[in-house]
Amino acid sequence: MNLPEFFKKYPDEASCIEGFKAKRIEMGVVCKKCEHTDHYFRKTDLKFQCKKCGNRISLRSGTVMENTNLPFQYWMLCIELMTLSKKSFSALEMQRMLGHKRYEPIWFMMHKIRRVMSKRDEKYQLKGCVEFDEGFFERVDNKNIITEKESQNSQESTPNKRGRGSERQAKVLVMVESEPSISAPKKDKPNRKVGYLKMVVMEDLKSDTINKEVGKSVDKTASVLSDGYTGYAKLKEVITNHYVVVEPDKKKSAKIFPWVNRTISIAKKVLLGIHHNCVNQQYVQNYLDEFCYKFNRRYFGDKLSDRLIIAALETTWY
């Protein structure tokens, strides 16, 4: 829904509480003590009370909102805004829109929602034909923040490494479903049909590390298409088919691997435009999870926010 529709449906805190309550009842509330499913709802303290044993469960209990004090309207509006835009919002911009005094709770809430997105996508494995490649994303280590002058001096003396050896870049394994398109190819358009996408931050890009991740993320019967990087040498240990294509010409390579190159480029532009490449190394995965979640559900339309609310109510933050 657009923002006018959202505020018409959820104009205040009470309506947001009713919205979350309706979703939880629809999903089913189970007593933690006796596992009974019939409950009363207490408006005085926003708790479900079991009709059998009298045990009470908070409306936030067992959800991503557990142990937080932010208003329900913040959560509802934040979920709506994060799914409404193809890109995203910075925590500072979200703080301004919500009118909250403190930055940290809003930042933490957004990362909780990103973890919900991650948990949801972990349930799915990539199938069919899958393109593989490595991406390298700029990151910042707060422990090693230096001044601009110091940075210039260090660059003059020892230039930063690029690619796999760079300490300032997160190593990311990118996997995207890509099937040959039946329709006639269009000018400047990929000749393959894209499916689901996964981006995983890796400690290194060695064969054993890659195989471990591929075993979790890709179906064994899938066919993988990759370049000649040595880290993919043992992929046949975990998947059925692996095809290696070595193409030194970048233009031809972009046609062979159209979607993996395109998704890496788009993700980098999103992080640069919103976060200006100032992403802490601990949270690169969260931002990539948000990008993949929305990419994988690009045709959900108005249903996307509702689906994320359901996922948030099914996910507990630890």
Side-chain angles (χ1 to χ4, degrees):
M1 68 184 80
N2 55 41
L3 287 180
E5 291 174 347
F6 173 83
F7 285 112
K8 185 177 179 180
K9 187 175 182 180
Y10 303 109
D12 51 24
E13 179 72 1
S15 60
C16 292
I17 291 172
E18 286 296 319
F20 278 116
K21 185 190 77 172
K23 291 289 185 184
R24 288 213 66 175
I25 293 174
E26 181 183 343
M27 294 163 57
V29 181
V30 181
C31 179
K32 295 181 179 180
K33 190 174 182 181
C34 67
E35 298 185 351
H36 196 60
T37 55
D38 290 334
H39 292 76
Y40 301 105
F41 185 72
R42 295 164 50 90
K43 292 185 178 180
T44 54
D45 54 5
L46 304 181
K47 290 183 178 181
F48 293 99
Q49 182 170 322
C50 179
K51 292 182 179 180
K52 184 176 180 180
C53 69
N55 185 50
R56 297 174 186 174
I57 304 173
S58 170
L59 180 58
R60 300 177 188 262
S61 179
T63 74
V64 72
M65 298 177 288
E66 189 170 355
N67 299 324
T68 65
N69 296 318
L70 290 176
F72 286 92
Q73 192 175 32
Y74 278 19
W75 287 94
M76 191 75 80
L77 184 54
C78 187
I79 289 173
E80 180 66 28
L81 290 172
M82 290 179 71
T83 55
L84 189 63
S85 170
K86 289 184 179 180
K87 296 181 180 179
S88 185
F89 292 92
S90 66
L92 185 60
E93 185 64 25
M94 187 68 71
Q95 179 196 3
R96 290 170 181 165
M97 287 187 287
L98 294 175
H100 196 67
K101 293 182 179 180
R102 297 181 61 230
Y103 169 83
E104 288 78 7
I106 305 302
W107 175 89
F108 195 32
M109 175 177 63
M110 294 184 71
H111 275 293
K112 284 186 174 184
I113 294 173
R114 292 185 181 107
R115 288 302 299 158
V116 171
M117 295 175 176
S118 173
K119 292 291 183 182
R120 209 63 173 178
D121 272 355
E122 285 176 2
K123 296 182 178 182
Y124 304 101
Q125 284 190 321
L126 303 182
K127 300 179 180 179
C129 185
V130 185
E131 295 178 25
F132 270 42
D133 202 359
E134 319 87 59
F136 302 93
F137 291 79
E138 290 290 335
R139 63 183 182 181
V140 176
D141 186 355
N142 287 342
K143 295 180 180 179
N144 297 320
I145 293 178
I146 57 179
T147 65
E148 183 179 353
K149 186 176 180 180
E150 290 173 336
S151 177
Q152 291 175 353
N153 293 336
S154 63
Q155 288 176 3
E156 291 174 0
S157 58
T158 54
N160 292 325
K161 293 183 180 179
R162 301 181 65 183
R164 296 185 181 91
S166 175
E167 296 179 355
R168 293 191 58 186
Q169 292 184 323
K171 305 172 184 67
V172 180
L173 178 64
V174 183
M175 305 164 281
V176 57
E177 294 175 345
S178 173
E179 297 289 344
S181 179
I182 300 175
S183 59
K186 297 180 181 179
K187 187 178 180 180
D188 300 326
K189 296 289 183 181
N191 58 355
R192 301 179 71 87
K193 184 179 179 181
V194 66
Y196 277 79
L197 166 71
K198 283 182 180 284
M199 293 183 168
V200 184
V201 177
M202 310 286 285
E203 293 182 5
D204 56 65
L205 292 170
K206 297 179 181 178
S207 297
D208 293 339
T209 311
I210 290 176
N211 279 14
K212 184 177 180 181
E213 183 57 42
V214 172
K216 296 185 295 182
S217 302
V218 182
D219 188 85
K220 292 182 179 180
T221 61
S223 298
V224 168
L225 184 67
S226 75
D227 57 20
Y229 175 52
T230 55
Y232 304 134
K234 299 180 181 179
L235 278 179
K236 284 192 175 180
E237 295 178 4
V238 290
I239 58 169
T240 304
N241 300 307
H242 177 211
Y243 303 100
V244 179
V245 179
V246 180
E247 180 54 69
D249 190 334
K250 291 185 178 180
K251 291 184 178 180
K252 292 182 179 179
S253 178
K255 292 182 178 180
I256 298 171
F257 306 96
W259 283 109
V260 71
N261 291 329
R262 181 167 292 197
T263 51
I264 291 173
S265 177
I266 296 172
K268 286 184 176 181
K269 288 178 181 178
V270 169
L271 294 184
L272 175 61
I274 298 169
H275 307 288
H276 310 293
N277 279 344
C278 293
V279 177
N280 190 287
Q281 61 182 358
Q282 299 179 9
Y283 307 109
V284 175
Q285 185 66 65
N286 288 0
Y287 293 109
L288 294 179
D289 288 339
E290 179 185 4
F291 174 80
C292 291
Y293 181 88
K294 290 193 283 190
F295 182 90
N296 293 338
R297 293 158 182 82
R298 56 198 175 276
Y299 300 122
F300 275 39
D302 296 344
K303 298 180 181 179
L304 183 55
S305 59
D306 285 339
R307 298 302 303 172
L308 185 54
I309 289 172
I310 292 172
L313 293 176
E314 292 178 341
T315 306
T316 304
W317 175 267
Y318 294 102

